[in-house]
Amino acid sequence: MNASPPFPADSEVRIVRTTSAFNCGGRCPLRLHVRDNVIIRIEGDDAAEPDQLRTCLRCRAYRKHVHHPDRLLQPQKRVGPRGEGRFEPISWEEALEIAAGELERVKETYGSASILLAVSGGYLGSLHEGARATGRLLSLFGGYTTHYGNVSSEGPIWAATTQLGTPLTGHSRDDLLNARLILLWGYDPARVITGTNTMYELVRAREAGARIVSIDPRYHDSAAVLAHEWLPVHPGTDTAVMAAMAWVMIEEGLCDFEFLDRYTIGFDRFRDYVLGLEDKTAKTPRWAAELSGAPADRITALARAYATIKPAALMDAHGPARSAMGEQFSRMAITLAAMTGNIGRSGGGVGGAFMNLPFGHMYAAPMIPGVRNPVEAGGPSLRGSLDLNLRLQKRIHTNRIFDAILEGTRGGYPADIRLAWFLGNNFLNQLGNTNKAARALKQLEFMIVSELFLTPTARFADLIFPVTSAAERNDLTRGWPSGLYYTAVNRAIEPLGACRSDLEIAMALAAKLGLEEFGTFDEEDWLRTFVEKNPETATPIPDSGAFRRKGIHRLQPAGPHVAFKAQIEDPDRNPFPTPSGKIEIYSERVAAMNDPACPPIPKYLPTPEDRLDPASKSYPLQLVSPHPSNRVHSDMQKIDWLVEADPHRIWINPADARTRGIAEGDAVLAFNDRGRLSIPARVTERIMPGVVCIFEGAWFDPDENGLDRGGNPNVLTPDTYTRGGASIFNTTRVQVQKA
Amino acid sequence: MQIGFYFDQTRCTGCSACRVACKDWHDIPAGPENWMRLIYTEQGRIPEVFVAYTIAPCWHCLDPVCVLACPAGAISKREGDGIVVVDTQACLGNEACDEKCRKACPYDAPQFGPEPGARMRKCNYCLDRFEAGRLPNCVEACPVRALDAGPIEELERKYGNDLQAEGFKYFERTRPAVVIRAKRP
């Protein structure tokens, strides 16, 4: 094309290079076109290919989020009954006065442990990640109770820590081009972004000749584009299919015995389990077929393919691990990868759905320094332990927050919660058992929510602090959860209305409470420290000013990153970071927990509400609630451009629809003992019979009869967790009928 | 010279990034007016299911039947680049002419807003971007690089051409300016 004239031609338009800070799984350079404090258009990264980091549909609609007419622009005080959602705007002075008064009252009356700070990943920037400033504030104030357990990924994290010694199991995405076989196990990267450009890298891997198999109850869009083969498997039975694959490999002598001898411990015990020497049940393909619905011959073929086509990347995702089978699924995947020698080798890998690299990781991001939380003083030492129960002596499991509010210390929880502050989350909507959560929130004495929108959680607040979006802040962001680049958030517009950042709110409240130790560093002071004083970034980023103007600094690695390469190449010098220095198929640390629900080798275990649980027979369908395609969990839910891109519907197979008299587009009810919701039906062969799918994040919207008209699947999911800490969402039984 | 689009159906995940980017660039509200659409195809029975998406912008046909259909002469094909443009001011509105352009077009490219008497608008190949030497916004938005744009001869040379694909039919009477790589069941 011709030489380019200046663009855009409008001299009143500024272009701001920045990123958003959603918990979306990507991190994408954006160019925001701004005129008169309004973002009027959005362009993406303009780096030359192949380095261009392309944003998805969500941030293509980012300006509709920032400038949404429903944004809360003023502090809000509840009027009317809790949960009804009626508020009146108040001044910051009044809001801070009320918050300080309630914090002081609750601390004096009940003690600091009665204050709950509930935080999550609704905003993922170094500085304004709300837990830091607010946690510092509350620690200085005397302490607070908080929660433990990453709702998304605790099972895979626990499993990788158990068997490999670290959750950093990822290969960089360019290494996919070296794979000859790729297994997408419960993984839909076209929809759940897991590293910007991941779907593109998979497309390229396919075009370079990799064979791709999708194992999933759904024929999702990733499978439709990538997979040569779809193996439908009932939710929760993936682990049985994997055990049967191990049986085939053992029976047919297809294991990489040299690898097992050299790099692992405990394979003999696992082999005994698989062959049935331990429990008299051989884990044959026929056994797994009965459980999973996958034909035995296809399980056998998959085992042979995985054992012989090398290298093979096992991209086991977090969805199947957000189940009662949680960590067993992820442990079984690691075991299979070890049996085929696919660990530490280019083109191989396990746990590959999420790109946990040892550089540019969010968890290593510089943040406001923490202050020791006095409420947690005297807790047990956690060093080296895998026992979740130790962590839960002082904290509440995240998926039990609402049960803890209801039951308190008499229910075995560490505190009786009277005041809760929800920040960077919509937990009422996003944790299990929404109706119970609503009951719990009605019981609180006081509730603060920091939010941009009147979410289902915020509707229950007594006080809402309106916070700024990333477009109104300066900050630092990173690849999600890691990546070969660092990014900057640059303030594109001045804060809308009276919105403030979480840091500003914490500072103002610290002043109100007389906590001078909080400090006076403002946004710029912190950010300068974060870039220039941080050893991780100070060397690669010599000019922090240029970095922030450009909004990105890319690392230039010599080649693809391969996890555990050093351990495989020179195991004597580089042991795995486990107690034995090897891949622990059998874990002594887990054995010491002495819990049949969490055996020292990975196993398929029967669980409540699994496919065969007789107690759930009045609810014959299994429910899965994967990530939505057109919002970030429950963020961006109200953006009409995104809503029309993929209307909220329940997926149901024609066989299940027919017996219920349900046709495409019909309103249906989905229900179980925990709740009821209504939603339109999508009748499709893309989901296996016996399973239905409702995408998570839809906003809870109960009518006067308690029927959720928003179609939030969490009115149906349990609020429980596994022994490894996985929140259980995808082990849920329901019934569906025509409305 | 005739400009056109390239679409790699084997790569398209149906994600709608192109659609949303189009709405953003041209500031089109949610609703019936969609300059870029997605056509969905699903066939077969579990586990042998075939799914394909097809983009549907304006294909800037070599023989644009919409131009002939418009009673007000509001639609024209540009000399030099072949972009089919509409003079929205000259359009009579959909009530006056009963959407003759939309009915003539086999690809549903002419679009109308929800208001009574809405005037026709449609994909203009991001004319402002084109004149500044830029690619259409949908092309730059595609996360899997399934789209390209440029002189049609160049695209054909680069990508070859399947004239038929699921959800797309090549009409000789309009000759759409598109190069497709089709996905096969």
Side-chain angles (χ1 to χ4, degrees), chain A residues 523-544:
Chain A
E523 194 175 77
E524 267 317 299
D525 298 328
W526 283 119
L527 290 177
R528 206 173 313 112
T529 315
F530 286 175
V531 187
E532 291 166 11
K533 300 270 164 62
N534 175 24
E536 189 195 15
T537 47
T539 314
I541 307 179
D543 183 349
S544 65

Side-chain angles (χ1 to χ4, degrees), chain A residues 163-455:
Chain A
Q163 291 191 222
L164 297 164
T166 169
L168 299 178
T169 62
H171 294 214
S172 54
R173 295 303 191 204
D174 48 349
D175 192 46
L176 286 167
L177 281 175
N178 299 317
R180 290 188 55 227
L181 175 70
I182 298 171
L183 305 187
L184 307 176
W185 207 306
Y187 185 38
D188 180 13
R191 294 290 177 270
V192 52
I193 309 296
T194 48
T196 302
N197 279 359
T198 293
M199 186 62 192
Y200 179 51
E201 298 286 358
L202 281 160
V203 165
R204 297 209 311 153
R206 180 192 155 104
E207 290 173 359
R211 182 169 180 78
I212 301 182
V213 182
S214 172
I215 303 100
D216 208 290
R218 292 186 303 133
Y219 189 60
H220 44 60
D221 286 314
S222 306
V225 169
L226 297 171
H228 298 89
E229 189 186 331
W230 171 37
L231 183 60
V233 168
H234 272 280
T237 67
D238 315 79
T239 309
V241 173
M242 286 180 174
M245 288 169 68
W247 185 90
V248 173
M249 290 181 206
I250 293 165
E251 282 290 311
E252 300 189 359
L254 298 174
C255 306
D256 186 337
F257 289 108
E258 197 189 321
F259 187 96
L260 289 168
D261 283 347
R262 196 154 180 216
Y263 301 109
T264 73
I265 59 164
F267 176 68
D268 48 345
R269 293 186 196 231
F270 179 70
R271 185 187 54 209
D272 289 353
Y273 161 74
V274 168
L275 295 178
L277 303 178
E278 191 189 299
D279 58 0
K280 300 199 166 45
T281 302
K283 311 305 175 297
T284 61
R286 197 179 292 263
W287 167 82
E290 286 285 310
L291 294 167
S292 67
D297 58 335
R298 293 193 66 196
I299 297 173
T300 303
L302 182 62
R304 289 176 185 155
Y306 185 53
T308 57
I309 304 176
K310 293 183 183 179
L314 179 46
M315 307 193 86
D316 51 310
H318 293 183
R322 279 192 293 274
S323 72
M325 201 51 58
E327 57 276 3
Q328 301 306 322
F329 166 73
S330 311
R331 288 194 64 185
M332 200 67 90
I334 295 167
T335 305
L336 283 185
M339 289 173 69
T340 55
N342 273 306
I343 294 174
R345 303 226 160 116
S346 178
V350 66
F354 286 73
M355 188 179 48
N356 272 310
L357 305 176
F359 28 75
H361 203 291
M362 287 187 324
Y363 294 162
M367 291 188 168
I368 297 173
V371 176
R372 201 175 154 75
N373 178 358
V375 165
E376 296 191 349
S381 166
L382 304 172
R383 185 176 290 271
S385 174
L386 295 168
D387 192 346
L388 180 71
N389 290 345
L390 294 180
R391 297 186 185 275
L392 298 181
Q393 285 186 19
K394 291 286 181 184
R395 293 189 179 185
I396 301 160
H397 189 278
T398 304
N399 209 22
R400 296 299 273 177
I401 285 174
F402 299 108
D403 196 62
I405 291 171
L406 287 167
E407 302 298 330
T409 49
R410 69 193 152 80
Y413 294 102
D416 293 304
I417 304 302
R418 310 287 178 170
L419 181 155
W421 186 344
F422 289 84
L423 190 158
N425 67 66
N426 182 11
F427 274 159
L428 169 81
N429 210 78
Q430 296 304 103
L431 301 180
N433 201 342
T434 310
N435 288 312
K436 188 205 266 189
R439 285 197 301 279
L441 291 181
K442 285 188 178 148
Q443 189 178 300
L444 286 171
E445 287 187 16
F446 198 75
M447 178 171 163
I448 305 171
V449 175
S450 302
E451 253 301 347
L452 287 83
F453 293 95
L454 190 57
T455 62

Side-chain angles (χ1 to χ4, degrees), chain B residues 95-173:
Chain B
E95 288 182 329
C97 88
D98 200 22
E99 303 189 2
K100 285 196 171 60
C101 54
R102 185 171 188 151
K103 287 176 177 164
C105 174
Y107 302 108
D108 214 20
Q111 294 281 302
F112 296 90
E115 70 281 8
R119 292 172 181 190
M120 193 274 268
R121 300 197 296 174
K122 64 167 197 66
C123 163
N124 64 0
Y125 205 72
C126 286
L127 203 53
D128 53 347
R129 297 175 63 94
F130 175 74
E131 285 175 347
R134 303 272 178 132
L135 288 166
N137 212 34
C138 54
V139 173
E140 289 198 349
C142 179
V144 290
R145 284 74 164 172
L147 275 65
D148 201 354
I152 198 80
E153 282 176 11
E154 229 171 74
L155 296 175
E156 260 169 347
R157 227 176 8 254
K158 204 163 157 192
Y159 300 110
N161 199 359
D162 298 324
L163 291 181
Q164 301 299 341
E166 287 299 333
F168 176 82
K169 190 168 177 343
Y170 186 89
F171 287 97
E172 284 292 346
R173 67 189 165 89

Side-chain angles (χ1 to χ4, degrees), chain A residues 63 207 221 224 684 686, chain B residues 11 13 24 40 42 53 183:
Chain A
R63 67 183 172 96
E207 290 173 359
D221 286 314
T684 173
R686 296 178 63 181
Chain B
R11 286 184 172 188
T13 70
D24 174 54
Y40 176 67
E42 179 181 322
Y53 292 93
K183 182 176 182 176

